[in-house]
Amino acid sequence: MVGATMSELDGVRYLHLDSIWVQGAMRISKPYQLELEYIQRMMAWLLWRPQDEVTEGQVVQLGLGAAALTKFCHKVLRMPTTAVELNPTVIHACRLWFRLPDDDQRLSVVNEDAARWVADPAHRHTVQALNVDLYDHEAAAPVLDDEDFYTHCRDVLDEGGLMTVNLFGRDASFTRSAGRIARVFGLDQVWSLRPTKEGNTVIVAARHVKVPDREELTARAANIEARFGLPARKWLRMVRPLDPAVLG
């Protein structure tokens, strides 16, 4: 199993997996803030949720990283939160260096294979928001990325549930991955945000969500910013439907 290491620069602590690639980050003075821009965008699913239901239901992370999303959902959103991580040294590192709390009534960190977790019938229709960020130590491409996997991801979502996936938008693999997600969820239920300057593109996929009008989306974005300190109005300007060309 690949080992976890840590580095620090200008008040930010970074997680690595035996390589130079950053697997996650935490500003030491603000451990529950989302430091990396693409990690912030992984929370864009909030825009698709009605304001009075925005923090209802269970949220799940596939891939713990530096535990930023897990901590934010648990501590800030105060939602029942489950993180699924294959590498036990990552879990240990997050508790040692990245302020990941011990499990409690609302938090469960599971040392398990993400593909096995989503395929478990016990998890069908139990999740309201699913964050998928599954890269190995070389950070070259998602380690789980076929239609069977995305079908199981869709199956764990409840009606109205949403999935966000971190992909590299400037890589040829983006179109291939986006096409697989669109074939499983339906093209009209998949959107993308513009790539970050590092090239990370967040895909949002939904299970039977009706997109409200612009006025309601703007109100939701303002509510997200006021309650949770996330740049939701910026997200709203960069969300776009997926190009049908991804279906080939």
Side-chain angles (χ1 to χ4, degrees), residues 149-169:
F149 170 68
Y150 291 123
T151 297
H152 289 312
C153 287
R154 185 180 184 274
D155 287 344
V156 303
L157 295 178
D158 200 0
E159 288 296 296
L162 294 132
M163 173 182 75
T164 55
V165 185
N166 171 37
L167 298 174
F168 285 124

Side-chain angles (χ1 to χ4, degrees), residues 62-183:
L62 302 182
L64 182 61
L69 288 171
T70 301
K71 291 186 301 181
F72 189 86
C73 292
H74 175 248
K75 289 284 191 178
V76 180
L77 300 188
R78 301 194 64 78
M79 294 178 70
T81 305
T82 299
V84 183
E85 172 57 51
L86 180 64
N87 189 337
T89 65
V90 170
I91 298 173
H92 179 69
C94 285
R95 293 211 150 114
L96 185 63
W97 298 324
F98 292 92
R99 301 283 293 275
L100 176 66
D102 292 335
D103 287 5
D104 59 26
Q105 288 185 327
R106 284 188 294 104
L107 177 64
S108 176
V109 179
V110 182
N111 179 204
E112 189 175 344
D113 179 75
R116 187 176 300 117
W117 194 93
V118 294
D120 187 339
H123 300 137
R124 287 174 63 91
H125 308 314
T126 62
V127 176
Q128 208 60 54
L130 181 67
N131 306 125
V132 182
D133 192 10
L134 296 167
Y135 286 82
D136 63 15
H137 63 289
E138 295 179 345
V143 295
L144 296 174
D145 189 45
D146 58 29
E147 287 187 33
D148 282 348
F149 170 68
Y150 291 123
T151 297
H152 289 312
C153 287
R154 185 180 184 274
D155 287 344
V156 303
L157 295 178
D158 200 0
E159 288 296 296
L162 294 132
M163 173 182 75
T164 55
V165 185
N166 171 37
L167 298 174
F168 285 124
R170 296 176 187 155
D171 191 283
S173 68
F174 171 80
T175 299
R176 184 168 63 249
S177 299
R180 291 165 179 163
I181 295 169
R183 281 188 286 274

Side-chain angles (χ1 to χ4, degrees), residues 46-47 51 214-236:
L46 290 163
L47 286 169
Q51 290 188 51
R214 191 74 180 185
E215 182 179 358
E216 172 60 23
L217 283 171
T218 301
R220 289 181 184 182
N223 179 58
I224 293 163
E225 290 200 3
R227 290 180 64 186
F228 310 125
L230 295 169
R233 282 178 284 197
K234 181 179 178 182
W235 300 340
L236 199 53

Side-chain angles (χ1 to χ4, degrees), residues 154 157-162 185 188-189 191 205-211:
R154 185 180 184 274
L157 295 178
D158 200 0
E159 288 296 296
L162 294 132
F185 282 81
D188 65 334
Q189 292 283 295
W191 303 266
R207 184 182 177 94
H208 303 150
V209 164
K210 183 178 180 181
V211 180

